[in-house]
Amino acid sequence: MPISHLSHWGLLVTGDPLLYGADASIILASVGIVFVLTYFKKWKWLWREWLTTVDHKRIGIMYLIAAVLMLFRAGTDALMMRTQLALPNQHFLGPEHYDQIFTTHGTIMIFFMAMPFIFALMNIAVPLQIGARDVAFPYLNAISFWLFFFGAMLLNLSFVIGGSPDAGWTSYAPLAGLHFDPGPGENFYLLSLQITGIGSIATGINFLATIFKMRAPGMTLMKMPLFTWSIVATNILIIFAFPALAVALALLLIDRIAGAHFFTIHAGGLPMMYINMFWIWGHPEVYIVLLPAFGVFSEVVATFSRKTIFGYKAMVSSMLVISVVSYFVWAHHFFTMGGGVSVNSFFAVASMLIGIPTGVKVFNWMFTMYRGRIRMKMPMLWTIAFIPCFVLGGASGMMLAVAPVDYQFHNSYFLVAHFHEMLIGGVVFGMFAALYYWWPKVFGFILDEKWGRWAFWFWNIGFYVCFEPQYALGLMGMQRRMYTYPSGMGWTALNFISTIGAFLMGIGFLVMAGGIVYSIFKGERDLTGDPWDGRTLEWSLPSPAPHYNFAVIPTITDRDQWWTLKEQGKQDTLRPRPEDIQPIHMPKNSAKPFLIGVAFFAAGFGFVFNWYVLAAAGLFCIVILLLVRSFEYHSDYHIPVDEVVHTETALGRL
Amino acid sequence: MKAGKVRRRTLTYAGLGAAVAIFLTGCGTQFQLLNPAGPVARTELNLFDISIVLILIVIVPVIGLLLYIVYRYRDIPGNTAPYDPHFSDNRVLEFIWWGIPIIIVAILGVVTVRTTISLAQPPGSTSNASPMTIEVTSLDWKWLFQYPGHKLATVNYAEIPVGVPVQFILTSNAPMNSFWVPRLGGQEYTMPGMALRLWLQANQPGDYYGHGANFTGRGFAHTTFHVIAVPMAKYDQWVKHVKTTAPALTLTGYKNLAIPNVVGELTYSSYPANSFYNTVMNDGGRFMPSTMQVETSLHH
Ligand code: HEM
Ligand SMILES: [Cu+2]
């Protein structure tokens, strides 16, 4: 199959039907969006209410939409790969396509699905849980979002303009260096991740500042909801881990566009250094996306068992221990690169140690259910489904931590099964639990149970059918990242079964989306603001919350503040009293975060193709926008008391 | 609700059944990792078994307990199970579930370190034969094997004598790959500019599947090779045969091999002197002598 852009950069004229198909669908989708917006006269609305917003709730919604769309995109990649692998010696995808697709699948799932999903949850829940009106730096929050958004655009564009990266989501040098991988694909990877990574670091700082500085009076650290604690742990990881990735990406980019030799084979480059730096970020990254899911499960399991969480202190300390220890395990990703006895022993034992606090969390979740009353609502179903899946994935993870066993499993389908079990059974199930849990808070209606249950069973059965056979394929010696395999190895039946499972999950996704559409029209409206009989502050607010969140900032006396008040019949304490209402200080909307995103996109695009004029223009615009912002003195305003009183009255709270 | 529960249980049984089936039928050699043909793979499999047992001690009770708790405490009218909304800590319980994982990790840690140390040594030979060396270079997308003892070379297959510990010295003259012969033992990377060592040994004659395990681009799926273990006498015959009938690998021939493509099996009666050493040095080895695990054996 001629992939002409590998040899020369035939940008749009590639002669490849797959790419023309992608081109056509992108153009059609864009035309459709433009048409709908114009027809319903929604351009202004879009600009005013969304593109320029600094409201954490709206930013959360935009992250959420993006994450779900990216799950669709990368899921489609997954189904194409599974189709190719269903039978031996197939020609549905050639090696060039398969390599690009597994690379974009992995990269998008991690950076543009899991990351925005956790950012969505942070934005949606944290300020409401801690009794704050927004995050510490709302303007920076918007910048983070637009950097993520345009980073994602850049990577997605690669498939149709110039070719996607094809050196794996790990992008190891020297394979990803200019010598072995000419063409713009790899540049797309480096620049899009660099851009979104800057946004992630800013989010880490932003939410740590928010949580440490903006909690309602009385909410000591040990009275914080566990989801908020999980976000503390995650953001500590983000701010220490992401800089390592940023440096690795930058150095590799300099190698590629300026001919340096940080990671080349010749002239003294050290490819191994890239691998170290990548995993110094990469292992903590696993916990960056997993810890928020832990937080979600902790909230859900207590709420739907109508019980206080078991072992709150152990839950907090185990998350903090995980966030520290996960910096000392990165070399378990390359036990087989000649680490030697002492290095391998150290990293093997350190990796196993992480199993201890993680195991403790599982017991605490189970004993939260013990002597409770378990309501099988969607969030709880996903939480219960998470436990066996996570326990199995954890078990295979322990085996991979045993260095000599890893010599056999490394790079095999056993590993592929393991990390999908953690990333789907752990992260994605957690995100789904959160989606059903907080959806009414965000949109004011509950997602339909019946659709939800169908989707749940498709996902769960599909999951085990897809990934358990892959453990066996690992034991049969099948390597990962193979675009095809010979018959006669005994791999055929299991691969075929695995593909069936993948399609069941695909159906699960569609049913889930169908359920959302159905619920938009027919879903039960949430009129109380507390559809699940919740425990934490966000459930004391109306759904959706007014844009200033709290008319009066509450005073906290208990861990499960809202639940305790309900037990004592004192819910009214959290209703605003007219005499307490004061003008509310809020940030103004701004177009600059969006424009900064555009400028980063232009700069990134310029560097991808070595068009330095465009790159310089983009960078110049970024500097100008930052300068303009620093001379802006009226970036905030006050909501007058009347307006607050009016809003609260309309919500029936006064 | 009920149907859901039944389905869940059926699933669990099906999963367990499948797992058991896999281990019982493990005698089918298609489960390569469960059918070691030499001491290294055997040691690794033993460790795998130990770790499975240790981990089952935790996960079986956990999954059982989960099913029990979810069933017992579900919110249905008339459920007589105790309800205690403030039951949120218990010293004894917490002691138990910090304790059990700690003990298991301690045991697993000790056996892991011991085995890691032992696998760095040559495996015990069964024939009193002294270890032999094969130098392996991964190229795009093929494997070059050089036998310094006989000064012969092969591509995409290697013959070895049964019962003799073989020291594979690994490098790459292309993006790094990983040298993996599942039935003989775990893999080790081939990295440009470095020479890493991997001990393997076959205790029974056979044709063992080998494959590159680390992605190297377009031709990666075709980086298959074979390790063919034969009795000593047959091995000597093979060497003699190669030395007398095969062509020589010249410098130009080597350059052609380094061109990215996929080739079949090839055999050479000789190769340019010091070519392995020079490859390592030219691909960065001269900048990092400390990363050469096996420096001394390289000059010849
Ligand atoms: C919807 C179900 C999914 C299916 C069917 C699926 C399938 C696959 C397949 C077929 C591969 C390539 C295996 C290979 O050739 O080596 C792969 C790789 C990968 N997947 Fe998934 N996947 C799914 C979901 C996810 C999710 C949710 C994540 C992360 C949050 C994820 C992360 C990855 C990563 C990081 C890789 C490795 C890419 C690489 O080798 O560079 N996948 N997946
Ligand atoms: Cu890791």
Side-chain angles (χ1 to χ4, degrees):
Chain A
M1 197 171 302
I3 305 284
S4 45
H5 50 262
L6 281 183
S7 42
H8 66 88
W9 302 353
L11 291 188
L12 285 167
V13 197
T14 55
D16 184 321
L18 212 66
L19 295 199
Y20 285 136
D23 286 339
S25 50
I26 287 182
I27 293 170
L28 277 180
S30 316
V31 169
I33 292 170
V34 170
F35 175 77
V36 169
L37 287 172
T38 313
Y39 185 80
F40 291 103
K41 303 204 168 62
K42 288 289 189 189
W43 282 107
K44 238 189 201 144
W45 165 84
L46 184 69
W47 178 257
R48 276 218 206 114
E49 305 279 317
W50 296 96
L51 302 191
T52 59
T53 188
V54 293
D55 179 347
H56 69 94
K57 297 182 285 303
R58 298 199 165 208
I59 291 176
I61 291 174
M62 292 194 290
Y63 270 125
L64 187 65
I65 295 172
V68 173
L69 287 178
M70 288 297 109
L71 180 60
F72 178 74
R73 148 81 216 248
T76 311
D77 284 349
L79 293 187
M80 290 205 280
M81 290 189 286
R82 281 309 330 164
T83 306
Q84 163 69 16
L85 294 178
L87 294 169
N89 299 318
Q90 285 205 97
H91 298 288
F92 169 62
L93 298 176
E96 293 89 352
H97 275 149
Y98 191 88
D99 298 350
Q100 294 187 17
I101 289 173
F102 78 68
T103 302
T104 52
H105 165 78
T107 309
I108 290 178
M109 281 292 192
I110 301 282
F111 286 92
F112 300 124
M113 192 288 288
M115 291 300 283
F117 225 130
I118 68 163
F119 291 151
L121 301 185
M122 285 186 205
N123 273 287
I124 285 167
V126 167
L128 301 183
Q129 281 201 328
I130 63 171
R133 289 197 169 119
D134 207 317
V135 296
F137 311 109
Y139 178 87
L140 183 65
N141 197 23
I143 294 183
S144 289
F145 173 77
W146 290 111
L147 291 185
F148 148 73
F149 180 86
F150 284 104
M153 292 290 278
L154 197 57
L155 190 72
N156 278 283
L157 214 56
S158 68
F159 192 64
V160 287
I161 305 182
S164 291
D166 58 1
W169 85 283
T170 47
S171 185
Y172 277 1
L175 179 63
L178 197 56
H179 182 72
F180 294 107
D181 202 345
E186 227 16 71
N187 293 354
F188 272 116
Y189 170 97
L190 294 169
L191 284 147
S192 62
L193 299 198
Q194 190 66 273
I195 292 172
T196 191
I198 297 170
S200 302
I201 295 174
T203 301
I205 296 169
N206 207 343
F207 275 83
L208 280 181
T210 307
I211 294 171
F212 287 141
K213 294 307 243 186
M214 293 174 63
R215 295 191 309 278
M219 184 180 280
T220 57
L221 285 178
M222 289 313 269
K223 288 205 176 82
M224 278 190 333
L226 281 173
F227 176 72
T228 299
W229 259 119
S230 74
I231 298 304
V232 171
T234 277
N235 284 320
I236 291 174
L237 282 171
I238 288 182
I239 62 176
F240 287 106
F242 265 79
L245 177 71
V247 173
L249 296 174
L251 296 182
L252 187 52
L253 184 70
I254 294 171
D255 271 8
R256 288 182 58 91
I257 66 178
H261 289 281
F262 292 109
F263 306 130
T264 58
I265 298 180
H266 301 286
L270 277 175
M272 196 64 211
M273 186 63 90
Y274 174 87
I275 296 167
N276 269 293
M277 288 166 73
F278 182 87
W279 286 113
I280 285 174
W281 161 81
H283 189 84
E285 167 67 10
V286 177
Y287 281 94
I288 288 171
V289 293
L290 199 49
L291 284 168
F294 287 177
V296 171
F297 296 130
S298 302
E299 300 288 334
V300 167
V301 84
T303 304
F304 291 89
S305 306
R306 294 186 200 277
K307 242 190 93 205
T308 317
I309 190 84
F310 195 96
Y312 176 90
K313 284 184 191 145
M315 287 301 220
V316 173
S317 51
S318 59
M319 284 194 284
L320 295 178
V321 168
I322 288 172
S323 71
V324 174
V325 179
S326 62
Y327 281 108
F328 298 97
V329 301
W330 80 87
H332 64 207
H333 294 275
F334 43 92
F335 282 142
T336 50
M337 288 190 189
V341 170
S342 43
V343 170
N344 282 2
S345 300
F346 175 88
F347 283 98
V349 173
S351 307
M352 293 173 198
L353 287 178
I354 294 218
I356 298 171
T358 314
V360 166
K361 296 189 80 71
V362 172
F363 283 112
N364 280 344
W365 286 317
M366 293 210 302
F367 274 78
T368 304
M369 295 184 231
Y370 177 76
R371 294 199 186 160
R373 277 293 174 269
I374 304 169
R375 287 175 295 158
M376 294 291 180
K377 297 286 186 190
M378 288 319 298
M380 190 62 181
L381 273 181
W382 284 109
T383 303
I384 293 174
F386 145 81
I387 292 179
C389 197
F390 186 74
V391 166
L392 284 176
S396 57
M398 284 296 260
M399 293 176 196
L400 290 166
V402 177
V405 174
D406 180 70
Y407 299 167
Q408 283 280 30
F409 289 155
H410 184 63
N411 279 333
S412 78
Y413 262 85
F414 191 93
L415 173 76
V416 174
H418 158 71
F419 70 68
H420 281 93
E421 197 137 39
M422 302 312 262
L423 288 169
I424 298 182
V427 180
V428 175
F429 283 15
M431 299 301 108
F432 286 169
L435 185 81
Y436 285 95
Y437 182 60
W438 278 309
W439 188 276
K441 183 52 57 195
V442 178
F443 296 105
F445 61 90
I446 300 167
L447 287 177
D448 188 70
E449 284 275 322
K450 207 153 156 210
W451 283 84
R453 278 175 189 257
W454 276 102
F456 174 84
W457 286 109
F458 270 113
W459 267 103
N460 269 272
I461 295 172
F463 176 82
Y464 290 99
V465 174
C466 182
F467 290 107
E468 298 323 292
Q470 294 185 6
Y471 282 119
L473 282 171
L475 295 178
M476 296 172 107
M478 181 167 170
Q479 301 81 24
R480 69 190 287 203
R481 294 174 171 176
M482 288 212 291
Y483 81 97
T484 190
Y485 55 91
S487 53
M489 300 293 297
W491 300 344
T492 309
L494 289 171
N495 269 299
F496 193 78
I497 296 173
S498 178
T499 301
I500 294 176
F503 277 92
L504 290 178
M505 279 186 277
I507 297 173
F509 180 88
L510 293 180
V511 175
M512 204 167 210
I516 292 177
V517 174
Y518 174 85
S519 311
I520 290 175
F521 297 105
K522 297 252 170 98
E524 184 189 338
R525 305 293 122 170
D526 170 25
L527 303 173
T528 59
D530 188 10
W532 312 122
D533 200 1
R535 313 179 70 84
T536 42
L537 270 189
E538 73 268 34
W539 304 109
S540 72
L541 293 170
S543 299
H547 72 286
Y548 47 77
N549 299 351
F550 297 88
V552 175
I553 300 290
T555 303
I556 305 302
T557 52
D558 273 284
R559 227 173 247 164
D560 291 322
Q561 180 75 19
W562 181 234
W563 177 261
T564 311
L565 289 176
K566 284 194 285 191
E567 268 188 334
Q568 300 167 344
K570 291 194 200 153
Q571 292 94 312
D572 282 351
T573 343
L574 287 186
R575 281 175 175 249
R577 274 169 307 180
E579 63 272 25
D580 290 344
I581 295 179
Q582 291 180 356
I584 294 178
H585 184 210
M586 295 296 284
K588 273 190 201 156
N589 283 2
S590 169
K592 274 172 245 100
F594 178 80
L595 297 177
I596 288 178
V598 174
F600 262 101
F601 180 82
F605 200 77
F607 279 118
V608 166
F609 290 103
N610 299 24
W611 296 340
Y612 294 116
V613 178
L614 180 60
L619 292 178
F620 181 73
C621 290
I622 294 167
V623 174
I624 295 296
L625 283 161
L626 292 176
L627 276 178
V628 171
R629 166 67 180 183
S630 51
F631 289 104
E632 196 173 81
Y633 298 110
H634 304 289
S635 57
D636 49 355
Y637 70 107
H638 283 84
I639 309 177
V641 173
D642 294 353
E643 198 185 318
V644 179
V645 170
H646 182 99
T647 312
E648 293 290 311
T649 315
L651 289 167
R653 289 170 62 82
L654 272 178
Chain B
M1 175 90 25
K2 204 133 198 200
K5 196 130 314 124
V6 172
R7 225 169 322 168
R8 169 183 303 279
R9 202 168 310 158
T10 330
L11 251 183
T12 319
Y13 285 139
L16 278 177
V20 171
I22 285 172
F23 287 102
L24 292 184
T25 56
C27 29
T29 49
Q30 290 183 321
F31 284 90
Q32 302 191 43
L33 270 55
L34 305 179
N35 285 279
V40 176
R42 163 61 57 198
T43 311
E44 285 159 355
L45 179 62
N46 288 345
L47 194 53
F48 174 62
D49 290 342
I50 294 175
S51 62
I52 284 202
V53 171
L54 285 173
I55 284 158
L56 282 181
I57 294 177
V58 182
I59 71 172
V60 170
V62 166
I63 293 181
L65 200 60
L66 175 72
L67 292 175
Y68 168 75
I69 290 178
V70 169
Y71 178 75
R72 178 94 207 270
Y73 297 100
R74 70 207 186 286
D75 187 26
I76 48 160
N79 189 344
T80 53
Y83 172 54
D84 186 354
H86 294 286
F87 175 66
S88 65
D89 61 332
N90 181 311
R91 278 285 150 78
V92 180
L93 284 176
E94 293 199 65
F95 191 76
I96 293 175
W97 61 63
W98 279 96
I100 293 175
I102 288 177
I103 293 171
I104 288 187
V105 165
I107 301 174
L108 199 56
V110 170
V111 287
T112 299
V113 173
R114 279 210 187 145
T115 315
T116 307
I117 294 169
S118 79
L119 287 181
Q121 323 291 329
S125 141
T126 52
S127 59
N128 301 325
S130 51
M132 66 175 279
T133 298
I134 299 179
E135 294 162 347
V136 183
T137 309
S138 66
L139 299 160
D140 271 348
W141 289 280
K142 55 191 91 69
W143 294 88
L144 173 65
F145 298 91
Q146 288 166 293
Y147 292 63
H150 313 297
K151 298 271 185 301
L152 63 83
T154 58
V155 170
N156 288 342
Y157 81 99
E159 297 247 354
I160 58 169
V162 168
V164 176
V166 184
Q167 169 183 222
F168 289 94
I169 299 178
L170 313 169
T171 195
S172 176
N173 193 10
M176 59 194 178
N177 205 325
S178 189
F179 179 80
W180 189 25
V181 190
R183 291 197 58 202
L184 297 186
Q187 65 201 279
E188 187 77 28
Y189 274 72
T190 57
M191 316 227 282
M194 301 194 199
L196 302 183
R197 173 190 301 153
L198 177 68
W199 285 106
L200 295 177
Q201 177 179 322
N203 278 357
Q204 28 180 309
D207 178 345
Y208 301 112
Y209 169 86
H211 201 286
N214 185 60
F215 180 65
T216 49
R218 238 175 335 121
F220 168 67
H222 305 295
T223 50
T224 313
F225 60 89
H226 291 264
V227 174
I228 298 154
V230 292
M232 199 52 162
K234 255 183 123 181
Y235 174 77
D236 288 336
Q237 266 177 16
W238 174 77
V239 170
K240 219 173 273 158
H241 183 71
V242 170
K243 290 306 273 185
T244 49
T245 60
L249 176 63
T250 58
L251 263 180
T252 333
Y254 182 84
K255 281 206 185 102
N256 285 337
L257 274 183
I259 295 170
N261 61 5
V262 176
V263 301
E265 297 184 349
L266 301 167
T267 312
Y268 301 102
S269 56
S270 69
Y271 54 79
N274 280 336
S275 68
F276 185 83
Y277 179 79
N278 292 341
T279 303
V280 175
M281 283 300 153
N282 289 339
D283 283 351
R286 63 205 145 100
F287 297 106
M288 39 184 174
S290 61
T291 58
M292 301 262 261
Q293 290 188 347
V294 279
E295 213 176 353
T296 46
S297 61
L298 282 180
H299 291 273
H300 44 261

